[in-house]
Amino acid sequence: MALIVQKYGGTSVGSVERIHRVAERVVQARQAGHDLVVVLSAMSGETDRLVRLAHEVTPCPDEREMDMLLSTGERVAIALLAMDLRGRGINARSFTGRQVGIITDSSHTKARIARVTAERIREALAGGIIPIVAGFQGINERSDVTTLGRGGSDLTAVAVAAALKADRCIIYTDVDGVYTADPNIVPSARRLDKVSYEEMLELASLGAKILQSRSVEFAARHGVPVEVRSSFKEGQGTLVTTEDMDMERVVVSGVTGDRHQAKITIIGVPDRPGIAARIFGPVAEANIIVDMIIQNVSQAELTDISFTVPRVDLGKAVTLVQRVAKEIEAKSVGVTDAIAKVSLVGVGMRSHSGVAARMFAVLSREGVNIMMISTSEIKISCVIDEKYLELAMRALHAAFGLDEASGREE
Ligand code: ADP
Ligand code: ASP
Ligand code: MG
């Protein structure tokens, strides 16, 4: 008998009909003799609705109150599923993040998990009860509600699986696994049977929202075997696991696109030691993650610095940067959010050269201008004009032999 954590995403619990389908799956797994813990997201669209509501009330909602609001979506879903199961004579109980002891820091809206006590879950399992746990939420040391960042129910599932030393954590979603690119953007994308934690972490951080990147980081750190499957159809999914020889033979395993970044450019920055620290210090203190940075060669002791930040943090970042720009007597600050990042990911890049040059050639053939470039051992990213993102993804997917019809390039 295995202990399995099942997580169902928003689309999978998006209607009463779909909640019934999840209940049926839970019953099936139980009949197969497994011990089960179920983690749920809010019904699809609900978290977005609550975010919009908050912004209708005030342009810059307080982050503690935002968490209080957003955490309600998951509570609705868990109560409905628990009712459904109980109506079928199955002993299930819903629990909030607080009740199962998901203790986080106090970074509201993107809190990090400090520990998971899981006492109520263990108690429930021992009593033959199926715990239905609210994803995406925890509490800080003062018992204030926190949330774990968008897509954070994946992290709840992985963290609960790690705390319970579960045999598997299955992420049920609206596609049947991890693909070589988002199948909704690149129709010729193929499902991967296996993907390494490291590749999955890059894919997720670079825009593949199939798994929240922090959940992958957590799974890798605690060695939690994660499987991504469809909640709508039976069949094989994708196993996220440790790297093996097969994976290394493939140069590029996936293409991603990310529209969630924005670019800030400071023009006419005095080229002196200490200036970069003056600019990026306050941004880091405000908990804003800077992704790419480019500094031009200086002319007449002045230079331009461009960098990217998450679009959601753009307002906060611009206010800080404008203040510093004034203090250091830079000429001006420019902002654009019409950018996107296209990336290639693959552990095989470690042992293959020329991938970057080929990527640039493909983009140039499509007439796509590259604004920024960044590379690591297993990925290459280019910032481009947002309107070319889908074109760039499809062209790269085909050029690197990932399309369904083409044989995989080795
Ligand atoms: P859930 O609500 O179940 O958490 P998400 O919407 O967060 O589901 O994630 C599933 C979606 O991720 C898919 O519908 C798909 O459009 C998108 N996606 C992006 N990149 C990939 C990829 N490489 N493989 C599979 N799906 C991807
Ligand atoms: N409901 C949250 C969101 O939409 C968490 C999740 O779905 O994983 O981001
Ligand atoms: Mg998700």
Side-chain angles (χ1 to χ4, degrees), residues 6 8 17 20-21 127 188 238 241 251 253 263 287 347 406:
Q6 295 189 335
Y8 294 90
E17 183 48 42
H20 288 329
R21 302 248 296 262
S188 52
T238 300
T241 179
V251 184
S253 24
K263 183 161 70 100
N287 231 341
V347 287
S406 66

Side-chain angles (χ1 to χ4, degrees), residues 258 260-265 280 283 288-294 305-311 313-314 317 336-337 339-341 371-374 382-384:
D258 180 2
H260 297 104
Q261 301 276 318
K263 183 161 70 100
I264 300 180
T265 303
F280 293 107
V283 177
I288 299 171
I289 296 165
V290 172
D291 183 21
M292 291 196 203
I293 304 176
I294 283 194
I305 297 180
S306 292
F307 59 96
T308 59
V309 294
R311 264 185 216 181
D313 292 327
L314 182 61
T336 172
D337 62 3
I339 59 156
K341 186 165 64 174
M371 300 179 204
M372 293 171 145
I373 300 163
S374 92
C382 294
V383 169
I384 59 174

Side-chain angles (χ1 to χ4, degrees), residues 164-203:
L164 299 173
K165 300 199 170 38
D167 297 285
R168 239 177 315 156
C169 177
I170 309 180
I171 306 286
Y172 286 97
T173 182
D174 57 0
V175 284
D176 62 352
V178 179
Y179 277 64
T180 47
D182 184 341
N184 288 316
I185 297 178
V186 182
S188 52
R190 288 178 299 109
R191 184 179 55 77
L192 299 164
D193 288 337
K194 271 193 296 190
V195 64
S196 70
Y197 287 121
E198 207 183 348
E199 275 174 328
M200 192 62 238
L201 182 58
E202 289 286 6
L203 290 169

Side-chain angles (χ1 to χ4, degrees), residues 113-188:
I113 294 182
R115 60 182 198 282
V116 177
T117 66
E119 259 162 54
R120 297 287 302 268
I121 300 183
R122 287 195 187 91
E123 236 175 75
L125 288 171
I129 298 168
I130 302 177
I132 314 289
V133 179
F136 182 50
Q137 54 182 270
I139 51 164
N140 65 13
E141 297 291 350
R142 303 192 57 196
S143 299
D144 284 337
V145 178
T146 54
T147 62
L148 310 175
R150 296 306 304 264
S153 299
D154 296 334
L155 178 57
T156 306
V158 170
V160 165
L164 299 173
K165 300 199 170 38
D167 297 285
R168 239 177 315 156
C169 177
I170 309 180
I171 306 286
Y172 286 97
T173 182
D174 57 0
V175 284
D176 62 352
V178 179
Y179 277 64
T180 47
D182 184 341
N184 288 316
I185 297 178
V186 182
S188 52

Side-chain angles (χ1 to χ4, degrees), residues 181-383:
D182 184 341
N184 288 316
I185 297 178
V186 182
S188 52
R190 288 178 299 109
R191 184 179 55 77
L192 299 164
D193 288 337
K194 271 193 296 190
V195 64
S196 70
Y197 287 121
E198 207 183 348
E199 275 174 328
M200 192 62 238
L201 182 58
E202 289 286 6
L203 290 169
S205 331
L206 295 168
K209 73 163 183 163
I210 181 85
L211 286 177
Q212 190 212 31
S213 59
R214 287 168 55 190
S215 73
V216 183
E217 204 183 329
F218 203 102
R221 201 159 3 108
H222 294 85
V224 178
V226 175
E227 222 180 304
V228 179
R229 282 172 175 259
S230 164
S231 64
F232 302 117
K233 59 178 197 196
E234 296 298 331
Q236 221 195 326
T238 300
L239 186 65
V240 186
T241 179
T242 39
E243 187 174 327
D244 64 28
M245 296 279 284
D246 271 6
M247 296 173 183
E248 283 160 37
R249 286 192 312 153
V250 180
V251 184
V252 172
S253 24
V255 178
T256 62
D258 180 2
R259 296 175 193 275
H260 297 104
Q261 301 276 318
K263 183 161 70 100
I264 300 180
T265 303
I266 316 177
I267 295 168
V269 178
D271 200 5
R272 294 194 302 268
I275 289 288
R278 287 275 296 277
I279 296 171
F280 293 107
V283 177
E285 270 162 36
N287 231 341
I288 299 171
I289 296 165
V290 172
D291 183 21
M292 291 196 203
I293 304 176
I294 283 194
Q295 176 170 342
N296 289 346
V297 177
S298 75
Q299 286 188 346
E301 296 184 353
L302 289 180
T303 183
D304 301 337
I305 297 180
S306 292
F307 59 96
T308 59
V309 294
R311 264 185 216 181
V312 283
D313 292 327
L314 182 61
K316 222 163 44 167
V318 170
T319 312
L320 291 170
V321 169
Q322 272 167 340
R323 205 188 60 217
V324 179
K326 210 166 166 187
E327 286 166 14
I328 60 175
E329 295 177 345
K331 282 196 182 134
S332 61
V333 176
V335 176
T336 172
D337 62 3
I339 59 156
K341 186 165 64 174
V342 62
S343 311
L344 299 180
V345 174
V347 287
M349 280 187 208
R350 282 199 199 108
S351 47
H352 290 77
S353 58
V355 182
R358 280 173 61 201
M359 179 180 193
F360 304 153
V362 173
L363 292 176
S364 123
R365 204 168 58 224
E366 299 295 328
V368 177
N369 185 38
I370 301 171
M371 300 179 204
M372 293 171 145
I373 300 163
S374 92
T375 63
S376 81
E377 234 190 345
I378 65 160
K379 69 115 205 243
I380 303 168
S381 301
C382 294
V383 169

Side-chain angles (χ1 to χ4, degrees), residues 37-80:
V37 178
V38 179
V39 175
L40 296 188
S41 289
M43 295 170 81
S44 55
E46 178 61 8
T47 310
D48 288 339
R49 186 185 74 84
L50 294 170
V51 170
R52 279 197 304 274
L53 197 60
H55 286 275
E56 277 173 35
V57 170
T58 175
C60 243
D62 179 89
E63 290 181 335
R64 177 190 180 278
E65 303 312 324
M66 197 68 174
D67 279 351
M68 188 64 100
L69 178 71
L70 297 190
S71 65
T72 61
E74 271 67 15
R75 292 179 73 138
V76 171
I78 54 167
L80 291 174

